[in-house]
Amino acid sequence: MAALKHLVNKIDDAVAESLSGLCCTYPQLELQLAHKIVLSPDIRNQKDKVALICGGGSGHEPFVAGFVGTGMLTASIAGSIFASPPSKHITHAINCVAQNNTAGILVIVPNYTGDCLNFGIALEKAKQTGINITEIMVNEDCSIPEKEQSSIGKRGLTGMILVIKIAGALAERGESLSKVLKYAELTVKNMATYAVGISACSIPGQGYMFELAPDEIETGMGIHGEAGYERMKIKSASEIVALMLQHISEELKLISGDNVVVIVNNFGALSQLEQGIVTHETIKQLNNKGIQSLRVYSGLLVTSLNSAGVHITILKCPEYHKNIFLSCLDDSTNAPAWPGCFYSVPLAITRPPFNEMEKEKFDKIGIELSNRSKHLMKLCLQNACKSVIEKEEYLNELDRGCGDGDCGTTLKRFAMGIQKHLTDLSFAYPSVLLTQIADIAEEIMGGSSGALYCLFLTTGAKELLSFKENENITSAWSRTFRSALDSIIKYGKAKPGDRTMLDALDPACKALEELVTAPLVDIIQNVIIATWQGCEATKGKKARAGRAAYVKQEHYIQQVDAGAYAAATWITAVGQTIKNFKE
């Protein structure tokens, strides 16, 4: 398998350079580069407080160095990618901490064979020299049934962060080593993590560590590139979260009335949008079970290089220990990667609701159309919507190179929104009609295109109010068209010729202005020709406005602009409807 693309220099230097980058970002952290150790800024003045040490392989950033700081770790040790740190480096970290410590050291060990062995060697050496030191093994993974686990037992996953935070807070308060250890053990005992991956990871310089089909997920996927416990077809976020919570609930024996702390951890490549959805689903489903989430943390905490997936970690808070757990989680820390903050603590007061604004009511204002004109107006709108919907895929394809590939989908949403409200629209009053359609664009489309269409229609609606009874209707629409165009040029900053929808709209408007007194058939024919000529002229033209302005590769601009094509499409539909209209 071919190696994937990575931003590295030399593979052998990747960990050292990454740690250096972290300490460039947070220069108060102390880096012992030769041993890949990061030390807390207050390491030399914490003599009477228990110190915490943790470590593990790299590739899980920000774990473990990102959790070094007052109220969390005193020192971290990083191994090579997905490899335990050598015992020699762990010993060096212990010795650095022990020089300024009399209260004792707690070493937090992830339950993996390499970590157990190398930390075990360092611990035994430290005990031989008389250092007051003890350890706790973190092993909260519940992805693999107990009968099918290896001799090493459960893996240590994202729950390590909760152990570090609770133990670190107690240490910062000056509690004894025995008490810090006690609550670290209680944390592990009341905690469970379940993993689901949707893509494998790749070590720099290599391909994916295993193949996962586009329609498959891996339950119980590890954080070292290993495949999971079971492979299944991908499901909705709701179904996946339900599966994860089922296993966690069984492990912790969760029942209605229980209180919990939740972590949703991103493997590294899952979008923040999806992570938000998983977090939402997790809390919603726990609430539906009568389980209250007292604290919720979400983010990139213990990653697996460029793998996409999530851990859900739940800490059950028995009544007797709940206040200790929560107060420790809420204690301040300056460790840079801790996801909690002031806003993580729910408000104790009920916020008064804002008054709902009344839905805007539209008066019957402006010119009133005859029944015949009302019918024609409705047909024009229906056919314009139909033409845009039919072009969804083609418009998306035109938009992929220079935009985000959703021009057709966005306009389809707009058209379908109009169709949905068709019976409510005021076809008798064109000014009101344009205002109503503008509201639909603003609410449904979103983004720049929604704002542009809303502005275009809103300005047009205002201009139509100045229509005089004895004025030529074609002249009124021509003036309305020009006013609406000038408005989007003013606020959108684009001009005709900048490769936007203006390149189709402006020629159409000019044709209408020039032929305002000509026979209607001639006007329609010339407007349609002009708008398509303007659209065709965008081929090969570099964009000077919008997102496409940042695209420099010429092969992306060989086709017509998507916005211009869309405008030409609905203008043509309107024109043909008027031309062929018969009562």
Side-chain angles (χ1 to χ4, degrees):
M1 183 184 296
L4 300 176
K5 291 180 282 189
H6 294 88
L7 283 176
V8 296
N9 295 313
K10 294 180 180 178
I11 303 298
D12 291 344
D13 297 338
V15 174
E17 290 177 352
S18 179
L19 288 173
S20 176
L22 174 73
C23 294
C24 288
T25 308
Y26 305 103
Q28 290 190 34
L29 294 173
E30 182 178 340
L31 176 60
Q32 302 265 323
L33 193 56
H35 298 280
K36 299 183 178 65
I37 293 169
V38 174
L39 302 173
S40 177
D42 58 7
I43 186 172
R44 291 170 180 82
N45 55 16
Q46 294 283 298
K47 181 178 179 181
D48 299 324
K49 294 179 180 178
V50 171
L52 268 64
I53 296 175
C54 187
S58 296
H60 307 304
E61 290 73 24
F63 182 81
V64 65
F67 299 103
V68 172
T70 304
M72 292 192 79
L73 292 175
T74 314
S76 73
I77 316 99
S80 299
I81 295 174
F82 294 167
S84 170
S87 62
K88 178 181 175 182
H89 293 184
I90 301 169
T91 295
H92 183 74
I94 292 172
N95 290 337
C96 287
V97 172
Q99 287 179 36
N100 302 285
N101 179 275
T102 58
I105 301 170
L106 175 64
V107 179
I108 300 167
V109 185
N111 191 33
Y112 295 94
T113 301
D115 292 317
C116 292
L117 290 171
N118 284 292
F119 275 93
I121 293 168
L123 281 159
E124 290 305 313
K125 287 181 178 179
K127 290 172 183 176
Q128 287 175 12
T129 61
I131 294 174
N132 182 16
I133 192 167
T134 189
E135 75 279 356
I136 181 171
M137 204 73 64
V138 181
N139 55 349
E140 89 285 7
D141 179 23
C142 69
S143 302
I144 301 172
E146 189 171 347
K147 62 183 179 182
E148 298 181 43
Q149 292 169 10
S150 68
S151 57
I152 193 71
K154 299 177 183 178
R155 298 172 289 193
L157 299 172
T158 310
M160 290 183 286
I161 309 305
L162 294 177
V163 177
I164 291 168
K165 184 64 179 71
I166 290 171
L170 291 169
E172 184 59 25
R173 295 177 188 179
E175 300 291 354
S176 66
L177 179 58
S178 61
K179 186 168 182 179
V180 172
L181 175 61
K182 172 189 172 182
Y183 278 95
E185 290 172 339
L186 283 169
T187 304
V188 175
K189 179 182 176 182
N190 286 283
M191 190 168 59
T193 297
Y194 195 89
V196 166
I198 60 176
S199 77
C201 70
S202 64
I203 293 175
Q206 300 179 21
Y208 286 117
M209 297 190 72
F210 63 88
E211 292 294 329
L212 192 58
D215 63 341
E216 291 181 333
I217 60 172
E218 195 88 5
T219 66
M221 194 162 88
I223 58 171
H224 298 94
E226 68 268 37
Y229 170 71
E230 184 180 8
R231 192 166 293 188
M232 62 177 64
K233 293 297 181 182
I234 193 164
K235 305 174 186 293
S236 68
S238 176
E239 291 172 299
I240 290 172
V241 168
L243 170 72
M244 299 173 81
L245 291 181
Q246 177 188 342
H247 286 272
I248 293 171
S249 297
E250 290 172 358
E251 179 75 13
L252 297 178
K253 298 179 173 57
L254 293 178
I255 59 172
S256 178
D258 281 341
N259 296 307
V260 299
V261 170
V262 178
I263 291 184
V264 178
N265 172 56
N266 190 327
F267 278 15
L270 194 73
S271 73
Q272 295 298 293
L273 180 76
E274 293 163 284
Q275 182 163 351
I277 292 168
V278 173
T279 304
H280 157 78
E281 274 297 334
T282 301
I283 305 312
K284 182 179 80 170
Q285 292 187 29
L286 287 171
N287 287 342
N288 291 341
K289 294 173 183 286
I291 298 169
Q292 186 177 4
S293 305
L294 302 177
R295 298 292 184 274
V296 181
Y297 307 108
S298 176
L300 292 150
L301 302 171
V302 182
T303 62
S304 181
L305 290 173
N306 58 344
S307 175
V310 289
H311 288 123
I312 294 177
T313 299
I314 290 183
L315 170 63
K316 184 178 180 179
C317 298
E319 196 61 34
Y320 186 72
H321 305 303
K322 180 177 73 174
N323 290 337
I324 287 273
F325 283 168
L326 293 181
S327 65
C328 287
L329 291 170
D330 293 343
D331 277 3
S332 63
T333 177
N334 53 23
W338 171 245
C341 67
F342 177 77
Y343 286 165
S344 301
V345 182
L347 287 175
I349 60 172
T350 302
R351 287 175 280 208
F354 289 105
N355 294 328
E356 286 285 338
M357 295 185 68
E358 280 190 35
K359 191 172 181 65
E360 188 173 357
K361 295 177 181 177
F362 297 101
D363 294 325
K364 296 176 180 180
I365 54 176
I367 58 170
E368 182 177 4
L369 300 181
S370 65
N371 287 335
R372 180 182 186 278
S373 296
K374 280 165 46 179
H375 182 46
L376 175 58
M377 186 78 78
K378 186 173 185 179
L379 277 177
C380 286
L381 196 56
Q382 285 176 313
N383 290 338
C385 290
K386 182 181 177 184
S387 67
V388 167
I389 291 170
E390 288 173 349
K391 294 292 184 180
E392 177 190 9
E393 285 304 317
Y394 184 63
L395 288 169
N396 283 345
E397 186 60 36
L398 289 176
D399 191 41
R400 279 193 183 100
C402 296
D404 45 11
D406 67 348
C407 177
T409 302
T410 301
L411 284 166
K412 179 184 177 181
R413 280 204 308 272
F414 181 29
M416 292 181 72
I418 293 171
Q419 290 176 335
K420 180 180 177 182
H421 294 91
L422 210 57
T423 57
D424 304 321
L425 298 177
S426 300
F427 290 101
Y429 299 89
S431 179
V432 176
L433 176 65
L434 292 190
T435 300
Q436 290 174 319
I437 300 171
D439 282 357
I440 294 170
E442 185 176 27
E443 184 173 340
I444 289 179
M445 292 179 75
S448 299
S449 55
L452 288 169
Y453 271 95
C454 178
L455 186 61
F456 180 78
L457 293 160
T458 299
T459 309
K462 179 184 175 184
E463 187 64 33
L464 271 178
L465 289 176
S466 64
F467 177 76
K468 299 176 178 57
E469 285 190 24
N470 59 351
E471 185 179 359
N472 179 288
I473 188 70
T474 307
S475 176
W477 279 111
S478 172
R479 195 179 70 250
T480 298
F481 199 164
R482 175 53 60 192
S483 179
L485 270 184
D486 288 345
S487 180
I488 60 176
I489 289 171
K490 176 183 176 180
Y491 291 104
K493 310 298 184 187
K495 303 183 295 296
D498 284 351
R499 188 182 164 91
T500 69
M501 68 179 184
L502 287 172
D503 292 329
L505 292 173
D506 187 61
C509 185
K510 285 179 177 175
L512 181 58
E513 289 169 330
E514 291 169 3
L515 298 165
V516 72
T517 59
L520 189 57
V521 173
D522 292 342
I523 294 174
I524 292 169
Q525 181 178 348
N526 282 278
V527 166
I528 291 174
I529 290 172
T531 194
W532 282 110
Q533 285 176 341
C535 176
E536 284 295 310
T538 62
K539 279 185 179 177
K541 187 179 290 185
K542 290 186 178 179
R544 292 195 292 269
R547 187 181 283 113
Y550 303 105
V551 178
K552 304 304 179 186
Q553 294 95 323
E554 291 189 5
H555 62 276
Y556 286 128
I557 57 175
Q558 296 311 303
Q559 297 295 322
V560 297
D561 175 69
Y565 189 92
T569 298
W570 62 257
I571 287 173
T572 300
V574 170
Q576 295 290 1
T577 303
I578 297 171
K579 180 180 176 181
N580 300 324
F581 179 65
K582 294 176 183 177
E583 293 207 58

